[in-house]
Amino acid sequence: MTTLNVAIVQAAPIPLAIGDGIEKAVRLAREAVEGGAQLVAFGETFLGGYPLWLDEAPGAALWDHPGTKALHRILLEQAVVANDERLLPLQELADESGAVISIGAHERVRSSLYNNQMTFRPGLPVLDHRKLVPTHGERLVWMRGDGSTLGVHQAEWGKVGSLICWEHWMPLARAAMHNLGESVHVACWPTVREEYALASRHYAMEGRCFVLAAGLVQAKDDLFDGLERAGAGAAAKELIEAIEGDALNRGGSMIIAPDAWIMAQAGEGEETLYADLDLNEIGQGLTSLDTDGHYSRPDVFELKVDTRAKSGVDWV
């Protein structure tokens, strides 16, 4: 296979109410697959929504803030878990259609939350990628991932992997992923603003792969809708009410070729972005630049990746 049809679903999540969000994701992913997509990508934490209050609500990071604590409790209660039966419709869609579906979620492991970009694969278990370093205020919500979830899926047409948001500014994470030989990379963002677009285009050029830079659309009203669905109390609502403005995640998703050319770009509203990828472009681009091959210096630089899971407790 030398041509691959891909889609980015740029849509508004249903914040906090993850069960309802899964239903919306399945519907939108099915529409994309019916539109011909063999790979479908959603933005960062589509299931549960990006925790906008950490950046936008005054005082959200203050110690013992009642609204922040209330929202954290809801995320813990709603988050997906390993072998979560609520996710079966996404797996079934991948199985029946043969498509690969990449979607972000809040995931709970014991009492910790992770930012997980899950890849649903036909006939195979979900491939997890947990964000290695939550950025700034995100550390109030998410635990750091480890090297056990740095990986790619081998499809019949090539390899697909993902990194989340500011991981694209981690040079060694990029080098590790380039070594795995991605044909297509899913770059997950809350919004693909200008500097995030630059990082995504740089990744495509450096890694000689196609990049699906997937963003969200999320407004203040969406947060209130999610609060209502999740049964949030007054403290959580007061925190969200303190947010100024309305449109908080503004889309901007784009599909990028291995030479950094923007093949397709979305606006600020909900839409599904499609493109046909000519996978022959990858080999042609490697003629001049192969950062994991003839443009590397293994005699000078060495990278070791620890892929062991780090649970913090070793029960012998």
Side-chain angles (χ1 to χ4, degrees), residues 6 13 22 131 199 217 235 313:
V6 299
I22 292 171
K131 194 172 190 176
V217 175
V313 176

Side-chain angles (χ1 to χ4, degrees), residues 29 32 35 58-59 75 88 99-100 131-132 191 203 239 251 293:
L75 284 176
L88 284 176
V100 175
K131 194 172 190 176
L132 292 170
T191 299
Y203 192 99
L239 181 64

Side-chain angles (χ1 to χ4, degrees), residues 218-282:
Q218 195 170 189
K220 192 172 178 179
D221 286 345
D222 296 320
L223 285 168
F224 283 120
D225 177 51
L227 289 171
E228 188 70 27
R229 293 170 185 256
K237 292 180 181 178
E238 288 176 7
L239 181 64
I240 301 305
E241 285 171 352
I243 296 175
E244 296 183 359
D246 180 44
L248 304 171
N249 289 144
R250 298 176 179 272
S253 301
M254 56 180 62
I255 299 171
I256 307 160
D259 61 358
W261 177 61
I262 300 172
M263 303 175 65
Q265 184 168 9
E268 294 187 356
E270 289 192 292
E271 64 177 287
T272 297
L273 200 62
Y274 293 91
D276 288 320
L277 312 185
D278 180 359
L279 300 178
N280 289 319
E281 291 184 28
I282 296 171

Side-chain angles (χ1 to χ4, degrees), residues 208 281-290 294-295:
R208 282 302 195 238
E281 291 184 28
I282 296 171
Q284 295 169 9
L286 288 168
T287 305
S288 56
L289 177 65
D290 180 3
H294 67 246
Y295 235 85

Side-chain angles (χ1 to χ4, degrees), residues 4 38 98 100 121-122 124 152-160 183:
L4 179 72
Q38 298 154 282
V100 175
R121 310 176 290 168
L124 292 170
V152 295
H153 166 59
Q154 176 68 67
E156 61 177 4
W157 41 262
K159 295 178 180 178
V160 57
S183 300

Side-chain angles (χ1 to χ4, degrees), residues 3 12 20 25 32 69 72 104 111 139 178 211 237 248 303 314:
T3 302
D20 292 346
K69 292 195 299 183
H72 193 83
S111 296
R139 295 166 196 171
H178 298 334
V211 171
K237 292 180 181 178
L248 304 171
L303 172 62
D314 185 12

